[in-house]
C-alpha cells in the first residue's frame, strides 16, 4: 500500500527522446480495515449468475430488436462452431446466437441487469464474425440508473479493434460498481453482441475492499489564471478559471508551487470558456523563493488538476517594492550608474 507513485523514463544518451503522457488510468483498491480482501470477493461470470444469491435470472435489454436478434442471445452461453478450427468463440449470424438492433442511429445500446450492485472487473464482448467493425467503437458504462447511462461510469472504450485478441473479440478491464452494465454503439451502425461475459465480485462488505479507478476526466482542470503574477509577500487576490471545481470552498486546496493560496469564493459558472472559477489569496513565498510556480487545484475526494502552461503564477517584485529587498528600502542610484 502506498500514497504516491513515480513513473520514471530511463532512456538516456544519444537518440533518447522526450516523452509526453496525455492520459493515464490508475487502478487500485481502498482498504476499509486491515485484513485484506474478504472471502466474499470471489470472481465469477456475472452474466451467468445474477441476483444476490447468484441463482436469479439474468435480464438483458436492447434499445431495439431487428432480424429477430433477441437480447437474450447475448447470455445464452453458446460458443461458435469452431470454424475456422481453433476459434471456439467464432460466431456467425446463421448460428442463431447473436443480438441485433433494428436501428443504426448512433444511439443503440444493450443493458445488462446484474440483479444487485456488484463490482465489475472485466468484460468480454464477442461480436459477429462477418461484421467485426461493429464492436470497434463500443463503449461500456456501469451504474445504478436503469433509465440512462450518460451519468454512469464509463469504464471502457474500444478505440481500435485491431488490438483485439481476435478481430471479433474484445476483452477489456472495466473497473466500476453498479447494478446495470451498458454496452453502447456510438457509431451509425447496428449493435450486435453474440456473447457477453462479465467478471465481477460480490458487493463490498464493510470490512472488505472497494475497488476504484482514478480518472483524469473527473479531475479539476485549470484553464486560465489572472493576474498571473504577484508579490512574494503574498496577499494577492488571484482568479483561477477552470472546470470541475466543487461549490464548497472548504473542499478545495490550491497550491502555487507548494505555497498555499487560501480559497475565498468558488463558482461553477461564470468562468472562462463557460466553466467555473475560484478566487484565492496567495501566501508569501519570500524573495528567495520567487519565480514561476505551477498551480495545482485539489478537490477533496476527487483528485488534483494537472500541470499545464496555463496554470502558472509568477512570484515577482518590482525594483521599488520593499519586499524585493527583504522589507528594507530599495537601493538608490549613484556613482557611475
Amino acid at each position: 500500500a502506498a500514497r504516491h507513485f513515480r513513473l520514471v523514463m530511463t532512456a538516456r544518451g544519444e537518440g533518447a527522446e522526450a516523452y509526453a503522457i496525455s492520459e493515464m488510468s490508475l487502478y487500485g483498491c481502498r482498504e476499509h480495515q486491515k485484513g485484506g480482501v474478504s472471502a466474499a470477493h470471489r470472481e465469477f461470470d456475472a452474466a451467468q449468475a445474477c441476483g444476490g444469491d447468484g441463482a436469479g435470472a439474468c435480464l438483458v435489454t436492447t434499445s431495439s430488436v431487428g432480424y429477430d436478434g433477441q437480447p437474450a442471445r447475448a447470455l445464452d452461453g453458446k460458443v461458435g462452431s469452431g470454424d475456422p478450427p481453433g476459434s471456439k468463440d467464432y460466431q456467425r449470424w446463421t448460428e442463431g446466437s447473436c443480438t441485433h438492433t433494428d436501428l443504426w442511429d448512433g444511439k443503440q445500446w444493450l443493458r445488462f441487469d446484474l440483479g444487485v450492485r456488484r463490482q465489475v472487473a472485466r468484460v468480454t464482448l464477442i461480436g459477429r464474425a462477418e461484421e467485426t467493425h461493429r464492436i470497434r467503437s463500443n463503449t461500456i458504462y456501469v451504474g445504478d440508473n436503469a433509465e440512462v447511462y450518460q451519468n454512469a461510469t464509463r469504464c471502457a472504450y474500444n478505440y481500435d479493434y485491431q488490438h483485439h485478441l481476435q478481430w471479433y473479440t474484445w476483452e477489456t478491464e472495466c473497473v466500476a460498481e453498479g447494478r446495470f452494465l451498458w454496452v453502447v454503439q456510438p457509431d451509425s451502425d447496428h449493435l450486435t453482441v453474440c456473447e457477453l461475459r462479465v467478471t465481477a465480485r460480490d458487493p463490498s462488505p464493510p470490512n472488505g475492499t472497494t475497488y476504484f479507478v482514478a480518472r483524469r476526466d473527473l479531475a479539476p482542470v485549470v484553464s486560465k489564471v489572472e493576474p498571473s503574477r504577484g508579490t512574494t509577500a503574498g496577499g494577492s487576490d488571484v482568479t483561477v478559471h477552470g472546470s470541475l471545481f466543487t461549490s464548497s470552498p472548504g473542499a478545495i486546496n490550491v497550491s502555487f508551487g507548494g505555497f498555499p493560496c487560501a480559497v475565498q469564493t468558488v463558482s461553477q459558472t461564470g468562468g472562462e470558456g463557460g466553466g467555473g472559477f475560484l478566487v484565492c489569496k496567495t501566501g508569501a513565498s519570500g524573495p528567495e523563493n520567487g519565480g514561476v510556480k505551477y498551480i495545482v487545484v485539489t478537490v477533496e475526494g476527487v483528485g488534483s488538476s494537472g500541470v499545464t502552461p496555463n496554470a502558472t503564477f509568477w512570484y515577482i517584485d518590482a525594483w521599488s517594492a520593499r519586499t524585493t529587498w527583504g522589507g528594507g528600502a530599495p537601493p538608490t542610484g549613484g556613482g557611475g550608474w
Side-chain angles (χ1 to χ4, degrees), residues 179-231:
R179 173 173 173 173
F180 300 98
L181 183 145
W182 302 75
V183 179
V184 179
Q185 169 61 283
D187 284 352
S188 297
D189 202 346
H190 293 290
L191 174 63
T192 54
V193 177
C194 298
E195 194 65 26
L196 172 66
R197 297 167 186 165
V198 181
T199 301
R201 304 177 178 88
D202 294 311
S204 303
N207 61 346
T209 301
T210 300
Y211 286 76
F212 68 90
V213 55
R215 294 174 54 189
R216 174 77 268 162
D217 60 320
L218 297 181
V221 176
V222 176
S223 59
K224 182 180 179 180
V225 179
E226 54 183 2
S228 59
R229 61 180 64 187
T231 173

Side-chain angles (χ1 to χ4, degrees), residues 13-324:
E14 184 177 354
E17 298 181 355
Y19 288 86
I21 298 176
S22 60
E23 186 71 21
M24 176 179 290
S25 294
L26 173 66
Y27 298 88
C29 61
R30 179 183 296 110
E31 291 186 356
H32 291 283
Q33 67 177 36
K34 293 183 178 180
V37 178
S38 166
H41 281 67
R42 60 192 176 92
E43 289 194 350
F44 56 93
D45 184 2
Q48 302 297 325
C50 295
D53 58 0
C58 296
L59 301 177
V60 62
T61 308
T62 52
S63 51
S64 62
V65 178
Y67 307 95
D68 199 32
Q70 298 298 321
R73 291 182 174 184
L75 306 180
D76 60 12
K78 294 181 180 180
V79 295
S81 60
D83 180 21
S87 301
K88 65 183 181 66
D89 292 331
Y90 192 90
Q91 298 201 32
R92 299 182 183 276
W93 174 252
T94 54
E95 296 181 54
S97 186
C98 299
T99 71
H100 202 300
T101 60
D102 186 46
L103 303 176
W104 54 90
D105 57 1
K107 300 178 181 179
Q108 299 304 294
W109 49 259
L110 177 148
R111 184 188 66 210
F112 170 48
D113 182 358
L114 290 85
V116 294
R117 181 180 176 86
R118 294 201 185 281
Q119 294 179 351
V120 178
R122 290 184 300 279
V123 174
T124 300
L125 282 180
I126 299 176
R128 180 177 167 184
E130 311 96 315
E131 303 284 353
T132 58
H133 61 279
R134 290 182 177 171
I135 63 172
R136 70 179 180 181
S137 60
N138 288 177
T139 306
I140 300 175
Y141 299 83
V142 176
D144 293 310
N145 191 324
E147 302 301 323
V148 295
Y149 61 83
Q150 286 84 351
N151 294 329
T153 298
R154 190 184 84 166
C155 63
Y157 171 61
N158 192 8
Y159 65 96
D160 187 349
Y161 72 101
Q162 297 290 345
H163 293 172
H164 297 178
L165 297 178
Q166 282 91 24
W167 63 92
Y168 47 82
T169 301
W170 177 33
E171 182 176 356
T172 179
E173 288 184 327
C174 173
V175 183
E177 292 194 28
R179 173 173 173 173
F180 300 98
L181 183 145
W182 302 75
V183 179
V184 179
Q185 169 61 283
D187 284 352
S188 297
D189 202 346
H190 293 290
L191 174 63
T192 54
V193 177
C194 298
E195 194 65 26
L196 172 66
R197 297 167 186 165
V198 181
T199 301
R201 304 177 178 88
D202 294 311
S204 303
N207 61 346
T209 301
T210 300
Y211 286 76
F212 68 90
V213 55
R215 294 174 54 189
R216 174 77 268 162
D217 60 320
L218 297 181
V221 176
V222 176
S223 59
K224 182 180 179 180
V225 179
E226 54 183 2
S228 59
R229 61 180 64 187
T231 173
T232 62
S236 300
D237 289 326
V238 178
T239 300
V240 180
H241 298 265
S243 58
L244 299 177
F245 298 160
T246 180
S247 58
S248 174
I252 300 181
N253 176 272
V254 181
S255 168
F256 286 20
F259 299 104
C261 190
V263 178
Q264 310 294 309
T265 60
V266 180
S267 175
Q268 293 181 317
T269 59
E272 184 82 6
F277 69 93
L278 64 84
V279 178
C280 64
K281 191 176 291 292
T282 61
S285 69
E288 68 280 5
N289 294 312
V292 176
K293 309 295 181 184
Y294 285 109
I295 298 174
V296 176
V297 176
T298 301
V299 177
E300 183 179 346
V302 176
S304 301
S305 61
V307 174
T308 69
N310 295 329
T312 60
F313 181 82
W314 191 1
Y315 274 110
I316 187 173
D317 293 313
W319 177 278
S320 58
R322 287 181 174 269
T323 52
T324 305

